[in-house]
Amino acid sequence: MNYYAVYDAKTGILLAEGNAVECRRKLKCSSLDTFYALVNRAKRGINKKYRVVIKKGGEVDYPVLGKDDPIQK
């Protein structure tokens, strides 16, 4: 599971953080596909409004669920 941190590119203010579903809700994207498109375009430099940091679930101090959960290993 990926963990996302979405920042305003001009001010550096953290707008949303969490998994894709949480970020989609905070940014008020209409669907999960819209959020993924926003992330993709921001990473490629097409969307200059946001700066996105993506980390894998095991690389952060964020609750990880499912098969990547360290408790289940």
Side-chain angles (χ1 to χ4, degrees):
M1 177 185 294
N2 287 339
Y3 171 82
Y4 300 89
V6 182
Y7 298 90
D8 183 289
K10 291 183 181 178
T11 63
I13 295 173
L14 179 65
L15 300 174
E17 66 178 334
N19 62 31
V21 174
E22 294 168 344
C23 288
R24 180 194 72 83
R25 286 185 191 134
K26 290 178 187 174
L27 295 173
K28 297 184 170 96
C29 294
S30 60
S31 70
L32 209 49
D33 289 337
T34 304
F35 173 72
Y36 288 132
L38 179 147
V39 170
N40 186 14
R41 290 181 180 128
K43 292 300 284 181
R44 292 189 302 165
I46 296 170
N47 184 342
K48 294 180 178 17
K49 184 176 179 181
Y50 302 105
R51 185 174 60 86
V52 180
V53 177
I54 304 172
K55 294 185 180 180
K56 296 289 181 193
E59 299 174 358
V60 296
D61 294 335
Y62 188 77
V64 181
L65 305 174
K67 64 179 178 131
D68 295 329
D69 190 352
I71 295 172
Q72 293 184 8
K73 289 185 177 181

